[in-house]
Amino acid sequence: MCQVNSCNELFSCFKIFGKFFITVDDDLNEDVLKLYANYISKLESTLTNENITLKPAKLPDSDEINKQEDQHSLEEYLDELNKLVGLEKVKKDVNSLINLVRIRKLRSERGIKQPPMSLHLVFSGNPGTGKTTVARLLSKIYCEIGLLSKGHLVETDRSGLVGGFVGQTAIKTQEVIQSALGGILFIDEAYSLTSKSENDYGAEAIDTLLKAMEDYRDDLIVIVAGYPALMDKFLYSNPGLESRFNKFIYFEDYNEEELYNIFQLMSKESNLTIDEAGDNYLKEYFKKVYENRSSNFANGRAVRNLFEEVITNQANRLANKSEITDDELNTLTYEDFLVDENE
């Protein structure tokens, strides 16, 4: 498994800032995308020339997968999917897709002829809406029903596929593809591969990917993800993409009740309870957040950020006390929720 290093983390920060930069007005401006693509490529080339290794994709092998993850039954994975907070339309679509795959698998086993079908997917929606979580569960479910041989998920983005000079992109993309065989390759912000810059190699990554999707169609599924409008432009940019990605799942923003439930779930997993005043504040907070959300609202990530701020506030409140009871350690109070609401 690739190990996290400080340089890689810093490189990831630059990419995150770039994503906000190119999607700030919900429009994929070619000039802006060109600036982003060129900057990231130059930064990566510089680091490569200095012999600094960047490993933005997680490339587990099968032995590591088996060691790190307990195997569960198909029913347990389906139950885990259906217990996710919110995402009702997503869960309905995914369950229908799973039923389709199961029946196609049964027909194939019995030698019944059936029309060819692409099972590659487009996940569209704002950040923090559970796209990666659903993709990971789908990889395990597909493995349990015999569609995929390993059932792991490999996550990557433009920087994991595109190189900074001629010939590097095909090699990088192939390495990621090989690591994903038997599972699902999840490409985040896939639209950033379609820059029209002369010195951009995103098109080479797409061509390599399309060939692999055909060569390994029996044991590889690709999911591309990103903002809805930008993903539409991505697919329309190449006829090969349109033909292979014809199944779409849209992840809606979490509503105020779902945001509240996610926070409660995080608290429960950390053995934390919330006092009455804090609970009332939390409900009003998420109501206000949802009503005033931006077009690229961070959803679950926003909840995670709030949760981390709140437990930090709790730590600051308790740290100077000479004696701290278990009840105090396990309770979030109204005072802990008085965070900057403009975050």
Side-chain angles (χ1 to χ4, degrees):
M1 175 71 71
C2 294
Q3 299 297 315
V4 175
N5 58 67
S6 297
C7 184
N8 193 55
E9 290 177 341
L10 184 58
F11 183 67
S12 296
C13 287
F14 278 110
K15 289 193 296 178
I16 290 173
F17 287 127
K19 292 170 186 176
F20 283 116
F21 180 55
I22 64 174
T23 59
V24 66
D25 56 358
D26 298 316
D27 182 39
L28 186 62
N29 182 283
E30 292 297 334
D31 292 333
V32 174
L33 181 57
K34 179 180 177 180
L35 288 172
Y36 167 75
N38 287 343
Y39 180 77
I40 292 297
S41 294
K42 289 179 180 178
L43 178 59
E44 185 175 15
S45 295
T46 300
L47 293 171
T48 300
N49 291 337
E50 295 294 329
N51 293 320
I52 298 175
T53 301
L54 291 176
K55 299 178 179 179
K58 300 176 182 178
L59 310 178
D61 58 35
S62 57
D63 291 336
E64 288 179 318
I65 293 167
N66 293 331
K67 289 178 183 177
Q68 294 177 6
E69 300 182 5
D70 294 329
Q71 295 297 312
H72 299 289
S73 67
L74 173 61
E75 289 69 26
E76 287 174 317
Y77 287 132
L78 289 171
D79 187 55
E80 186 176 347
L81 170 68
N82 292 318
K83 283 184 177 178
L84 292 175
V85 174
L87 304 176
E88 297 308 320
K89 180 65 165 58
V90 170
K91 287 185 281 192
K92 180 180 178 181
D93 289 344
V94 171
N95 275 286
S96 294
L97 182 62
I98 292 167
N99 290 337
L100 174 63
V101 169
R102 295 175 79 171
I103 295 301
R104 285 179 60 83
K105 181 72 175 175
L106 184 60
R107 288 172 60 89
S108 177
E109 290 172 351
R110 296 185 181 181
I112 301 174
K113 187 177 181 179
Q114 57 189 344
M117 179 178 294
S118 173
L119 295 175
H120 305 295
L121 295 164
V122 178
F123 282 5
S124 63
N126 280 332
T129 46
K131 294 187 289 293
T132 306
T133 298
V134 172
R136 184 172 289 109
L137 282 171
L138 195 58
S139 68
K140 299 177 186 300
I141 291 168
Y142 277 176
C143 180
E144 288 302 311
I145 61 181
L147 183 66
L148 295 173
S149 62
K150 296 179 182 178
H152 63 298
L153 181 77
V154 171
E155 304 170 56
T156 191
D157 57 16
R158 177 190 166 86
S159 66
L161 302 173
V162 179
F165 49 84
V166 176
Q168 185 185 30
T169 294
I171 296 173
K172 290 183 67 173
T173 303
Q174 279 290 357
E175 287 177 348
V176 175
I177 289 168
Q178 290 299 316
S179 73
L181 292 182
I184 289 179
L185 175 59
F186 183 87
I187 305 175
D188 200 15
E189 273 83 34
Y191 49 77
S192 63
L193 295 172
T194 55
S195 172
K196 295 181 180 179
S197 168
E198 289 184 11
N199 298 321
D200 185 80
Y201 304 111
E204 184 180 357
I206 292 175
D207 291 340
T208 304
L209 182 65
L210 289 175
K211 184 178 185 303
M213 290 166 68
E214 177 62 25
D215 293 344
Y216 306 112
R217 61 183 179 275
D218 294 330
D219 205 21
L220 174 68
I221 289 177
V222 178
I223 297 177
V224 290
Y227 295 99
L230 300 180
M231 291 306 297
D232 287 343
K233 291 184 178 180
F234 166 69
L235 296 176
Y236 296 152
S237 70
N238 187 309
L241 292 172
E242 284 190 85
S243 64
R244 286 173 175 80
F245 293 100
N246 53 20
K247 289 181 173 58
F248 301 79
I249 296 181
Y250 176 64
F251 289 68
E252 295 181 345
D253 287 340
Y254 290 113
N255 62 35
E256 59 194 77
E257 181 180 354
E258 292 163 347
L259 294 169
Y260 170 81
N261 289 337
I262 292 172
F263 191 98
Q264 287 285 8
L265 182 61
M266 290 179 179
S267 299
K268 183 178 179 180
E269 290 174 346
S270 300
N271 197 37
L272 291 166
T273 59
I274 305 171
D275 70 9
E276 183 177 356
D279 190 66
N280 291 333
Y281 175 90
L282 190 62
K283 291 175 181 177
E284 288 299 315
Y285 176 86
F286 283 128
K287 180 180 180 181
K288 183 187 299 184
V289 166
Y290 181 72
E291 290 175 348
N292 297 283
R293 71 190 188 283
S294 64
S295 58
N296 56 354
F297 177 50
N299 289 279
R301 296 180 190 176
V303 180
R304 169 62 65 182
N305 290 340
L306 175 65
F307 181 76
E308 292 178 353
E309 289 185 54
V310 170
I311 60 175
T312 299
N313 281 359
Q314 184 213 35
N316 290 333
R317 176 172 58 82
L318 297 176
N320 294 325
K321 298 188 65 173
S322 57
E323 294 185 7
I324 304 173
T325 67
D326 288 351
D327 186 58
E328 288 176 313
L329 286 173
N330 295 329
T331 303
L332 299 176
T333 68
Y334 171 76
E335 182 182 353
D336 300 328
F337 285 88
L338 300 182
V339 298
D340 184 357
E341 296 184 17
N342 294 317
E343 287 294 321

